[in-house]
Amino acid sequence: MRALYAVLALCAALMLFSLPVRAEDPIDATRHIIEDQITAFLKDDAEAAYSFAAPGIKAMYPDKNMFFAMVKKSYEPVYHPGNYAFGRSRSIDDGTMIYHEVLISGRDGKDWTAIYQMMRQPDGGYKINGVQIVPNTESKGI
């Protein structure tokens, strides 16, 4: 009888391990990338923040310090947000491009919407291909 239970337990375990592994949802994966970059900005970690930039951004800013200076100057709400929350997301071309709306309360008390463009890379991962910020928090859709 114990042998029967052992065989059944082994069969159940084999069935669980043979189930297909589901890859992380691209929307969730890209949200984590955005959060990780914002965390890097908050820690003034230029190297980590730069690592999330797509090749096109790195071509325009070939040095992490140039990139960091540009973000500080032109993207203050993203560089050091007060609070932020994700709004709408949209996937284009079966996940080739993903857009995220991030609602930001700046440390200066102003509210902003940042639209992140996430581009799938040849290795299947995603990088931040651009960010557009506008002064408001009302979700207008992507």
Side-chain angles (χ1 to χ4, degrees):
M1 190 66 134
R2 277 193 264 178
L4 177 63
Y5 287 128
V7 169
L8 289 174
L10 180 62
C11 288
L14 289 173
M15 286 176 55
L16 283 174
F17 287 114
S18 67
L19 291 175
V21 177
R22 184 172 174 234
E24 186 176 13
D25 176 37
I27 298 292
D28 290 338
T30 51
R31 279 187 183 148
H32 290 295
I33 292 168
I34 293 167
E35 288 177 324
D36 289 347
Q37 188 183 53
I38 290 172
T39 298
F41 286 139
L42 288 168
K43 293 179 178 180
D44 286 324
D45 186 344
E47 188 169 336
Y50 189 64
S51 73
F52 299 107
I57 301 298
K58 289 182 174 182
M60 291 190 298
Y61 302 96
D63 174 84
K64 68 182 178 187
N65 295 320
M66 290 173 57
F67 169 77
F68 211 63
M70 176 276 299
V71 172
K72 283 182 183 179
K73 181 180 177 188
S74 302
Y75 293 87
E76 175 63 29
V78 171
Y79 167 61
H80 274 175
N83 291 309
Y84 67 92
F86 284 88
R88 299 178 192 185
S89 299
R90 184 173 181 194
S91 176
I92 307 290
D93 292 332
D94 197 30
T96 300
M97 193 78 67
I98 295 177
Y99 292 91
H100 285 286
E101 180 181 68
V102 181
L103 309 172
I104 298 171
S105 294
R107 290 187 175 183
D108 61 0
K110 295 180 183 175
D111 294 325
W112 303 85
T113 299
I115 306 295
Y116 280 78
Q117 182 187 67
M118 308 295 295
M119 180 181 282
R120 186 167 48 212
Q121 302 302 297
D123 67 0
Y126 286 87
K127 296 285 185 178
I128 299 170
N129 196 53
V131 179
Q132 177 188 5
I133 57 173
V134 291
N136 67 46
T137 58
E138 185 180 332
S139 175
K140 303 209 187 257
I142 296 175

